[in-house]
Amino acid sequence: MNTEQQIDLTRIPEHIAVIMDGNGRWAKKQGQDRLFGHSFGVDAVRQTVNACQKLGVRYLTMYAFSTENWGRPKAEVDGLMELMVRTIVGEIPDLMKRKVRIHGIGDLEGLPEDCKAEMYNAIEVTKNNTGLHLILALNYSAKWEITKAVKKIAEKTKAGDLDPIAVNEELISANLSTAAFPDPELLIRTSGEMRLSNFLLWQCAYSEFYFTEVLWPDFNEEELYKAVIDFQFRERRFGKTSEQIINVE
Ligand code: IPE
Ligand code: IPE
Ligand code: MG
């Protein structure tokens, strides 16, 4: 039985989030520039999208550039932005064929003009697609997102449009950039790092975490299937006891 066949198709996570990490180390191992690693990472994105589509995953969120990543050397930041533009433009025909719908979370307004324009264009041209929702976290950080949501809520309260009593978890979720998406059941991070790096802090409150040593450019369909299989062995208790969970099933 191959890896894909070991997956229980009745228990596929609806939303998978991925922290794509390890491009720089992968490039260094080949004696290459970090940007070489980033460009090879694009194929891993394609493979992840393919695998998610095959399994029937509905939402895939990919951390492509964090607010903190602006602190990298200028040549790397510029190269990443160029790669992003090239990739978005180049992939649109295939994404249309696959009926993938693109979304952006993060401060898209803070991106360079061409990158911002191509992101908005990709969101617009794919908006009627009915397949996988591919959510790109670009210039994203969870603390930025939560701060923005708190500010919005505070403004509505100040204007008298919102009673502080009405502030609850649903309202906070509804003011995040992920308002239209369910929380991810599974979060994958590559390259052996075991941290969130300011990604989806609110939304991952009850996600299952899967960490792999595989560096992002080496990630592929098979690796995604392995993560889903691992997820299917987890017992999601949400604060209850194991017995309660088993008795419900
Ligand atoms: C992830 O790979 C890609 C981005 C953060 C844009 P890294 O560039 O962080 O690779 P490492 O962690 O240095 O190996
Ligand atoms: C997280 O990776 C950001 C993205 C994958 C886009 P980093 O490589 O930037 O994270 P840290 O700095 O090691 O925590
Ligand atoms: Mg890294």
Side-chain angles (χ1 to χ4, degrees):
M1 202 159 53
N2 69 30
T3 317
E4 190 182 353
Q5 288 165 342
Q6 293 169 41
I7 297 175
D8 176 353
L9 291 173
T10 67
R11 289 171 52 238
I12 298 296
E14 190 182 17
H15 184 173
I16 299 179
V18 185
I19 302 175
M20 310 183 271
D21 200 9
N23 295 351
R25 278 162 283 169
W26 185 88
K28 198 171 174 189
K29 279 209 309 198
Q30 341 261 322
Q32 297 278 355
D33 185 74
R34 294 178 59 84
L35 280 168
F36 184 76
H38 296 315
S39 50
F40 266 80
V42 175
D43 193 55
V45 176
R46 275 188 211 108
Q47 296 222 21
T48 306
V49 169
N50 283 350
C52 285
Q53 288 198 300
K54 284 187 193 163
L55 297 181
V57 172
R58 294 295 301 138
Y59 302 87
L60 172 64
T61 300
M62 312 205 81
Y63 205 3
F65 193 86
S66 74
T67 309
E68 286 76 15
N69 287 146
W70 292 113
R72 293 192 179 195
K74 184 174 182 317
E76 182 174 352
V77 171
D78 290 349
L80 270 168
M81 292 299 153
E82 270 167 42
L83 177 65
M84 228 92 78
V85 172
R86 240 183 303 133
T87 306
I88 297 167
V89 174
E91 295 295 316
I92 284 189
D94 192 51
L95 295 173
M96 291 304 288
K97 231 180 285 164
R98 295 169 173 280
K99 299 189 167 52
V100 172
R101 182 166 174 190
I102 300 281
H103 304 267
I105 57 169
D107 188 3
L108 301 189
E109 285 300 310
L111 292 169
E113 282 306 320
D114 53 348
C115 191
K116 181 168 74 177
E118 292 308 338
M119 257 315 274
Y120 284 138
N121 180 57
I123 292 167
E124 178 61 26
V125 300
T126 63
K127 73 176 181 204
N128 293 321
N129 286 350
T130 52
L132 176 76
H133 293 267
L134 177 58
I135 303 148
L136 301 175
L138 258 177
N139 195 13
Y140 175 88
S141 95
K143 287 192 175 179
W144 165 83
E145 178 186 43
I146 294 169
T147 306
K148 202 172 78 144
V150 171
K151 221 179 261 177
K152 257 200 275 178
I153 293 170
E155 276 161 9
K156 280 184 210 159
T157 312
K158 191 180 172 201
D161 296 334
L162 181 69
D163 187 336
I165 285 190
V167 178
N168 57 21
E169 292 183 11
E170 286 69 34
L171 184 89
I172 294 172
S173 293
N175 279 280
L176 297 174
S177 48
T178 50
F181 321 124
D183 288 344
E185 296 99 318
L186 172 61
L187 174 99
I188 298 171
R189 183 168 188 153
T190 57
S191 86
E193 307 297 354
M194 296 186 213
R195 55 177 171 264
L196 277 176
S197 302
N198 217 345
F199 190 46
L200 301 178
L201 297 181
W202 176 274
Q203 300 86 341
C204 283
Y206 250 115
S207 306
E208 297 296 330
F209 289 2
Y210 176 85
F211 298 107
T212 169
E213 292 291 328
V214 172
L215 301 174
W216 180 251
D218 289 329
F219 198 83
N220 54 24
E221 292 193 28
E222 178 85 4
E223 295 300 331
L224 191 279
Y225 297 146
K226 282 193 212 162
V228 172
I229 291 168
D230 195 89
F231 167 82
Q232 293 189 332
F233 279 104
R234 309 280 178 96
E235 185 178 69
R236 307 195 73 207
R237 290 194 283 274
F238 299 103
K240 297 185 176 168
T241 67
S242 185
E243 290 70 21
Q244 285 175 297
I245 303 301
I246 291 161
N247 290 339
V248 167
E249 283 185 350

